[in-house]
Structures are given as C-alpha cells and as structure tokens.
Amino acid sequence: MSLQLIEPVAAGYFVARSHDLRYALGMDGLLTLEEAQERVLERARPLSVEAVPILAAGGRVTAEDVLGRVDLPPFASSAMDGFAVRAADLPATLRIVGESAAGRPYEGSLEVGGAVAISTGAVVPGGADSVIPVEYVVNTENSVEVEQTVQSGAHVRPRGGDAAAGDVVVQAGTRLTPALLAAAAASGVAEVRCTRRPRVAVLATGSELVAAGEDLAPGQIYETNTLMLAGALEAAGAEVRSEPPAPDEEASLRAALERALEADVLVTSGGVSVGEHDLVREAERELGVEEIFWRVSIKPGKPVSFGVRGETLVFGLPGNPVSALVGSELFVKPALRALQGLTDPLPRFEPGRLATALRRNEERDEFVRARSRVDGDALVLEPLVGQESHMIVRSGAADALVHVSRGNGELAAGSTVRWLRVGSA
Ligand code: AMP
Ligand code: MG
C-alpha cells in the first residue's frame, strides 16, 4: 500500500490518504505506534468458542460469563472449631448432644439447652444460629460451660454468602488464573466455554542461520528468534508451531510461507527490510497476503510489516532479535489477546521512575531495555548499557521496556515513565 502525503496539519504531523483511510503519521512519514496497533486490533476478532474441561482450562480465556451451579457455601457452615449453639440460650452450661464434622453433618435439630460440637466447614445444624469457638468455653465430655453471650449468626458462614447459584463467578473475556479456576470449581462448574487458542506458526528467515549445536561456518550465526518468539507467544496463550528456518531464496521461502499461512497467525522474522535479500513481503504478496502496513515509527523494530490473508494475520518482524522481541510485545501479543477475546488487549504499561536520563528520539518512539528494582515506595528503572538491536545478550538481562516517547530533549533522571514488564512469568 502506498501512502500519499496530502497536507501538513500541525507541526510535525501530516495527514495521508490511502484508499479511504486517514492516517496520522509521525515526522518521519511512518505510521505511529498507536495507529499501527489500531490497524492490528481492527483485524483481530475473537476466534471460535469451545467447551473446555475445568481441569484443562488454566490460562484459557472465557468466552461467556461463567455461572455458578450451586450456592457457595452450599449450606450454612461453621467458620471455627467449637460448638454450635442457640444464641438465646447464653450464658449457660449446655449439654453436648452430638457432633457435626466436615462432610459428616449432625442429623437432627438443636433443642433448647443443647450444643453440638462442630468443626470448621461443617454444617451448622438446624436450630443452632451461632458458633462459640472452642477457645472460649470450658467443656467436659458431656457439657460445655459458656460464660458470655454471642450475637446470633456469630462464626456462621451463611449459605450463598460468597455467591448464589446463577451468579456470575467469572466474567466473559477473562483469563482463567488459578484463583478463578478455583472459584468456578467451587461453584460446581465442570466445563467452561472458552475462546479457541490461536494457532501460531513461527518462521525465521535468513540464509545465515544455523541451529544450536552445529558448528558455525564463516558468516553464519545461531538462530535465536524461533525459540524466543515461540516462548513469548505461548506465554500469551498461543499454540505455537515452530517451522524450520527458511533461507533467503525465493522458492524455498515461498514454500515455507505457504505451509505456515495455514495458521491463524503467521509470525516471520527477518527479510522485511529494504535489502536485496529481504524477500518476505514480496513472497507473501505473491501468496495473496494483503499488506496493511509496513514500517512503524518505533525503535527498535521499525521495518515491521502486517498483513492479512483471509482470516490469517501475518506479522513480519525484523530479524534482529531485540527488534523481533519488541515487535512481538507491541503487535503480536496484543493480537493474540484480542483473538482470545480479552477485552483489554494492548500492552499493560505501568508507571516507574527513571534512574538515569534518556535522550528522546525526535522522530520515533523508543523502547529502551532496562532492569527494574524497588526502592522504597518507588519502582526504579535502570537503562542497560548496550541498546543496539542485535545485542540480545545485553537485552536478555532486561525485565523492562521503557517507553521513551518521541520528542525533543531528554527525559531527566527521576522522571516518571511508562514501562512494560517483559520476560517474567
Ligand atoms: P534482517 O531483518 O533479515 O535484515 O536481519 C537483521 C539482522 O538480524 C541480521 O544481522 C540477521 O543476521 C539477524 N537475524 C535475522 N534473523 C535472525 C534469527 N532468527 N536469529 C538471530 N539473528 C537473526
Ligand atoms: Mg535477513
């Protein structure tokens, strides 16, 4: 797609018309990050829905509200080990008439002047309205002496006090954490309707790439992007198929792309820049991929491309490992979240404090690798030395991407910035 510049509308900005779309472009004439993300999310609609057994639903995203099937707790139960009593009887010495243990209720109703020994989680028998903790009584084998009064309802968890049958226990569009799985299971849910996991093909391209364990011939480097992207995208809920890397050679590249285009999402690395051996976009075009954008005003990762073929989303990440990683965070993961039906798919930036000054880039938004540390109440970000996009060893030590927005001058040490956590669980 070629963008035709129309008119400057404000200092540093232009409006371009391409078909009937209007793009706000950065000073370098490229799509801004926000515009590019919007283009991606417009095309990342939730996938189909399937029933998933609760035992296999961890990490999946709910497609519909999950409704509880039972009241929770399902019966009035004791919050303490002690004695179930009638509040109106107290203070008194009560006759112990039986026991209600967890899973083994007292069968009968509590009469005036009686008490039932009860354990935490056991059914509060009919007739009883309160529980006296064992610490507050003097008891013999047959009787229990209670010196104080209690309020009716003390230490009793009412039936349905957490949730009633039919209540929404997990909302639609939520990733099922262990605690949410527990909530659904406690409410009697055995199966959850979830959005299908996106199937992602990861394909590294480049004739210089060699697998780990091989010896390097002159000019070769070890291939890193497949395992890096596969790990990052699996963590975002994808089912990843790692394709064998393809060389910068038309026929084999096209064959590899054709196979990989069967996925819901194709993520390539390398071959999308302006070099003579950057063949990915052209090969994709020949295979029917409609390019939505190419090049975004960010650093690193500028030459990123995005297109669609039918329902398949096609991301071309640059080959430098750091660029590929940043591109996966800013574009691919948001798309995966949207495909899974998450309601808030964009990266979740948090505020933090910059430890050292950073110069801003006039044209492009920069994503600076940093380490985060807690200092009192503040979260402090230490930019790493060595910010070039091929420096994966230095970047590997980072747990934060600091967003340095485009503009003049520098961000002073101590200023508040937005940052994205990367690489952690
Ligand atoms: P490209 O985007 O193809 O121009 O590649 C940019 C740089 O990244 C080059 O130095 C490549 O050798 C390197 N590179 C490309 N793909 C990979 C990969 N899968 N693993 C490691 N480095 C790569
Ligand atoms: Mg290349």
Side-chain angles (χ1 to χ4, degrees):
M1 180 189 307
S2 67
L3 297 179
Q4 194 192 344
L5 291 182
I6 300 218
E7 53 182 341
V9 291
Y13 285 86
F14 301 85
V15 169
R17 192 178 287 278
S18 164
H19 305 294
D20 54 350
L21 295 174
R22 288 167 76 87
Y23 290 133
L25 303 179
M27 281 180 65
D28 50 9
L30 302 184
L31 213 54
T32 62
L33 172 64
E34 296 79 8
E35 293 275 352
Q37 285 174 323
E38 214 177 300
R39 299 288 168 271
V40 171
L41 293 181
E42 275 168 5
R43 289 161 177 88
R45 298 277 159 235
L47 296 170
S48 59
V49 176
E50 62 190 8
V52 182
I54 188 113
L55 289 176
R60 298 292 298 269
V61 178
T62 53
E64 299 166 5
D65 287 347
V66 179
L67 306 184
R69 296 169 57 87
V70 297
D71 291 337
L72 200 62
F75 46 85
S77 69
S78 178
M80 304 292 275
D81 292 321
F83 293 90
V85 299
R86 306 159 61 99
D89 288 353
L90 301 183
T93 297
L94 304 170
R95 199 162 46 83
I96 300 174
V97 297
E99 188 194 10
S100 180
R104 272 188 297 116
Y106 173 74
E107 298 183 6
S109 190
L110 187 63
E111 306 286 333
V112 174
V116 167
I118 194 165
S119 33
T120 305
V123 177
V124 174
D129 58 16
S130 338
V131 169
I132 305 277
V134 70
E135 295 88 334
Y136 297 141
V137 302
V138 178
N139 66 303
T140 63
E141 204 171 312
N142 298 318
S143 69
V144 54
E145 202 180 303
V146 188
E147 287 189 345
Q148 68 271 70
T149 57
V150 288
Q151 277 205 325
S152 177
H155 304 301
V156 175
R157 303 164 173 167
R159 173 177 176 159
D162 190 5
D167 278 357
V168 175
V169 293
V170 185
Q171 290 189 328
T174 307
R175 195 174 304 278
L176 287 165
T177 60
L180 287 173
L181 281 180
S187 306
V189 172
E191 213 173 60
V192 189
R193 309 267 301 155
C194 294
T195 312
R196 188 165 68 69
R197 293 174 67 187
R199 285 188 293 263
V200 178
V202 173
L203 172 64
T205 73
S207 297
E208 72 280 32
L209 305 175
V210 172
E214 310 272 305
D215 287 331
L216 291 180
Q220 295 183 323
I221 59 167
Y222 288 115
E223 201 280 301
T224 56
N225 292 347
T226 306
L227 64 85
M228 179 182 71
L229 293 171
L233 303 181
E234 262 162 17
E239 240 168 56
V240 176
R241 196 174 71 195
S242 296
E243 302 285 345
D248 301 313
E249 189 268 305
E250 274 179 39
S252 39
L253 179 60
R254 192 163 353 160
L257 286 169
E258 187 143 36
R259 199 174 49 242
L261 276 165
E262 288 164 15
D264 299 310
V265 180
L266 166 58
V267 182
T268 61
S269 81
V272 288
S273 205
V274 291
E276 211 175 303
H277 303 285
D278 292 326
L279 308 173
V280 170
R281 295 170 56 233
E282 177 58 21
E284 285 175 349
R285 200 184 59 74
E286 286 168 13
L287 290 168
V289 175
E290 178 200 351
E291 189 165 90
I292 306 296
F293 64 73
W294 172 55
R295 302 201 296 179
V296 178
S297 187
I298 55 172
K299 185 180 175 185
K302 172 169 112 171
V304 59
S305 70
F306 172 65
V308 292
R309 191 181 78 165
E311 297 294 302
T312 301
L313 307 183
V314 184
F315 294 90
L317 302 178
N320 274 311
V322 182
S323 311
L325 188 70
V326 168
S328 74
E329 292 289 340
L330 297 180
F331 303 109
V332 187
K333 280 188 178 181
L336 296 180
R337 294 187 200 108
L339 289 171
Q340 289 169 88
L342 284 171
T343 43
D344 198 8
L346 283 171
R348 192 187 166 102
F349 284 87
E350 299 169 57
R353 205 170 69 198
L354 205 51
T356 55
L358 285 176
R359 175 160 299 284
R360 297 169 81 184
N361 184 308
E362 276 182 33
E363 297 187 339
R364 290 191 271 165
D365 281 13
E366 265 195 77
F367 292 88
V368 170
R369 276 75 68 207
R371 282 192 70 82
S372 68
R373 65 180 160 80
V374 174
D375 182 359
D377 288 343
L379 196 298
V380 176
L381 298 152
E382 295 269 11
L384 296 175
V385 174
Q387 291 284 333
E388 287 169 66
S389 60
H390 64 288
M391 294 181 161
I392 189 60
V393 171
R394 291 162 188 264
S395 275
D399 66 350
L401 286 181
V402 177
H403 182 186
V404 179
S405 53
R406 54 194 178 270
N408 295 317
E410 60 170 34
L411 294 178
S415 52
T416 299
V417 288
R418 28 190 331 259
W419 66 286
L420 182 65
R421 191 177 293 283
V422 289
S424 64

